[in-house]
Amino acid sequence: MFENHLWTMEPVGREENTVQGKNYRFTLLTPCLIRMEYREDGKFEDRPTQSVWNRRFDAVPHRLVKDGEGFELFTDRMHVIYSGGPFSKNSLMVKAIGGLHPFGANWYYGEEDGNLGGTARTLDGVNGACALQDGILSQNGCAVLDDSKSLILTEDGWIAPRQGDGVDIYLFTYGNDYKEALNDFYRLTGKTPMLPRYALGNWWSRYYDYTEDSYKELVTRFEKEEIPFSVGVIDMDWHLVEDVDPKYGSGWTGYTWNKNYFPDPERFMTWLHDHGMRITLNLHPADGIRAYEEAYPAIAAELGNVDTANEAPVDFDITSKKFLEAYFKCVLHPEEEKGVDFWWIDWQQGNTTKLPGLDPLWMLNHYHYLDSARDGKRPITFSRYAGPGSHRYPVGFSGDTHMTWDSLDFQPYFTSTASNIGYGWWSHDIGGHMLGYKNNEMAARWVQFGVFSPINRLHSSKSEFMGKEPWRYPMEIGAVMTDFLRLRHSLIPYLYTMNHRAYAENIPLILPMYYSYPQNREAYGVKNQYEFGTAFVVAPITTPKHSGVNRGKVQVWLPEGLYIDFFTGMIYSGGRTLDMYRDIHSIPVLAHAGAIVPMTGEILGTAAVHNPETLAIRVYGGADGSFTLYEDDNETNAYLKGEAVNTKMELNWEKKTFTISPAEGKLELIPAKRTIKVQFFGVKDSAVTVSVGGKEVSAEKTYDAAKSCLTVALPENNVTEEITVTMTEGGLGSNDVEGMIFDLLDRGELDFYEKEGVYALMQKKISTAAKLAQLQALNLEPELIGAVAEILTAYEA
């Protein structure tokens, strides 16, 4: 049981990369990464630990100079100086050489600054921001991963404590080459596995005493409203809670369905599956299995030493391999056979066990994940972060956040910064869980962030006033929430490809801006802005709107280049920082020129678990670009063997051609034919020609001048045929500046005299600079000036 079929482990470092003395051992892993150990007993550890699984990297060219008890060690990226004896800032120093850090970096043992942060165990009870644990990136060039206290993984797959005390640290000396550092962190600790496709859709979650009938009624209403969900999260009231006899203790822990609410659990879960939803149930396992549980006789018999005559509880002992095997076999597996797809491990009971240093949360995450892969199904867990290496067990549950603007404002930064410790699949309580206050605008903004976050899971507490159903909000707010929930499912082809990229290329879906722009100081200042896959820069709006203009504002830094807004089609010139204003219908989601984003209109029912028959491909003009759509069977581990289909797409901006190459790979995994719509954004109107398999075919073309969007609807074609769309005229489009400013003024709650004055100014045949100068002289509210200035200066050819 608990066999590892997902990762390889090579824990023994190369002898030729090792410098060892009586009490110390230094092992080079890369020219920038070194393991440094010190033990008085000289007994060093070569087994995998909870965090570190692979130490056998490539051979590293180096030079060693002995110096008495110590030595100096040189690679082309690092210079280690060790004078012998216990590690201290006086005995151990490392210089980082080269990389992207302009001046190199010096690191002294025990001293570190400039760490860019990692993540935290949970946001439980946090109203706003919280402190973060360190990551493996530092703006100063050197960062430490301390593995001294983690436990050992034994050959039989179990855990064991380290013997004695000592130092076991890994020093990342990558300067500002953050992507290289993160890639080697994954090599060291193990890859992030792929999620099943359904996990990328919307999750419905609420702590509420649903019944089978009320839950079906809810799902049926979602279907009627055409609001897609792919995961149903059933909180703790699925099991007996209030009906537990006080002699057994609290009903917080439970494993027996409440038959008053769910008379036939298997029937209920089959119905959800038939309606396109996967199911996870909440577990609070700390109190073990007590005599009233349906599983009690089976687990008691399996363990064989339970005093059933006196109804002795089966204690939850995570340090017992026998208990854990019985727990899965007798308690959880029977529920999975009824229909449970994965478990929500809602562990809140601290981090102590019978084994000193063992965190039960890590054990639950590790063994739940391995167990859920036992039958070839692609595993998934839903649980809190338990330290470095937790990225191997997605998805993360960030805990019960407060329903406040402050909490929303922290979550984009919290989510992107988690990539600095490799943790790329956070799931937040979108909309907030408890306390706080009702704010309709905030609810919409939170859903907008959720759609452009790793996992979009709406959640809230039991209060009758905290439901997140869109129809419980004013019409405009509900419509915005609905539109974005639909958008999330339409993005799944793009998201699933990014899911594979996270596994294959060790690049999380969301990255802080400094990963791609480490030498730009502006990249470190926009904490709530991030890259969202290969195509987008996203800057969620996390503060209330400004009255008058009726728009939310966020400061955005655009690196050099050209950008096109996903929602408005507005074209922006990069290389600057500016304020962006958006009404409630959108947030800044900016596509790089040349970006290609495959989407689909198939969003309802079981669509989230299948490769679509229709694609809507967004292509952003202004530069060359390419994208390879990745597809596989979506729910097994066959992807580990490379069983997949790849479809390459390429934009040649100079020739104004967009080409979809024939699909390659295991073609039976995708539909044999597809209907495709190609949307070119940021382009002028143009005639088009379309060829399929080298033969010209007819296609329907339309043009939206307001968004500079040219749409070409292609006929159904075989996926094995090459498709080329050519814009015979083409060229970069332009912003409808006057129309956009009119819309801003028309919708704004402003003085009519001010509106007319601004609009008259915009119609003058004078330069943009002159308009800006006169705008400042009109003595207007700063936010009105800012919103108009954004449109005026967004892009000039």
Side-chain angles (χ1 to χ4, degrees), residues 31-32 76-78 95-105 141 173-178 180 518-519:
C32 307
D76 61 356
R77 299 282 296 276
M78 178 168 52
K95 297 181 179 180
I97 303 170
L100 295 178
H101 198 284
F103 309 113
T173 64
Y174 288 80
N176 299 141
D177 197 341
Y178 302 136
E180 184 182 358
Q519 293 180 313

Side-chain angles (χ1 to χ4, degrees), residues 336-530:
E336 293 174 22
E337 291 170 4
K338 294 175 187 175
V340 176
D341 294 289
F342 63 103
W343 297 96
W344 173 11
I345 309 161
D346 198 357
W347 181 266
Q348 301 167 312
Q349 286 76 31
N351 55 11
T352 48
T353 63
K354 294 178 181 177
L355 183 61
L358 176 62
D359 185 343
L361 178 60
W362 183 91
M363 289 285 284
L364 285 163
N365 293 351
H366 180 71
Y367 291 108
H368 261 275
Y369 202 82
L370 292 180
D371 180 73
S372 67
R374 69 187 182 279
D375 57 0
K377 180 181 69 174
R378 193 174 303 177
I380 179 173
T381 59
F382 182 39
S383 184
R384 288 173 174 80
Y385 176 78
S390 292
H391 62 272
R392 298 184 300 251
Y393 320 115
V395 167
F397 166 52
S398 69
D400 301 336
T401 50
H402 289 213
M403 194 181 292
T404 65
W405 281 106
D406 287 340
S407 292
L408 169 58
D409 189 50
F410 181 59
Q411 285 192 1
Y413 167 73
F414 179 80
T415 308
S416 65
T417 305
S419 294
N420 298 346
I421 197 67
Y423 203 66
W425 292 113
W426 266 128
S427 166
H428 302 307
D429 288 354
I430 296 300
H433 173 69
M434 60 185 184
L435 303 177
Y437 41 80
K438 177 76 174 281
N439 183 286
N440 297 325
E441 179 193 3
M442 180 179 72
R445 294 302 190 195
W446 219 319
V447 170
Q448 290 169 339
F449 162 64
V451 168
F452 289 94
S453 68
I455 302 293
N456 189 35
R457 177 181 54 85
L458 279 63
H459 187 57
S460 59
S461 76
K462 245 181 185 180
S463 168
E464 290 294 344
F465 301 102
M466 284 195 174
K468 298 294 193 310
E469 298 90 340
W471 53 83
R472 295 184 62 173
Y473 291 84
M475 184 180 294
E476 185 178 29
I477 297 297
V480 169
M481 295 171 70
T482 296
D483 287 346
F484 271 79
L485 291 168
R486 291 170 182 164
L487 173 60
R488 177 69 183 201
H489 277 234
S490 71
L491 282 166
I492 287 178
Y494 173 77
L495 293 170
Y496 196 73
T497 300
M498 295 302 104
N499 180 22
H500 180 256
R501 183 185 74 147
Y503 160 74
E505 300 179 33
N506 295 330
I507 304 175
L509 170 64
I510 285 180
L511 292 176
M513 294 300 294
Y514 47 73
Y515 272 75
S516 294
Y517 307 96
Q519 293 180 313
N520 293 79
R521 62 178 179 80
E522 297 94 338
Y524 300 87
V526 283
K527 291 189 173 183
N528 272 8
Q529 180 181 324
Y530 50 84

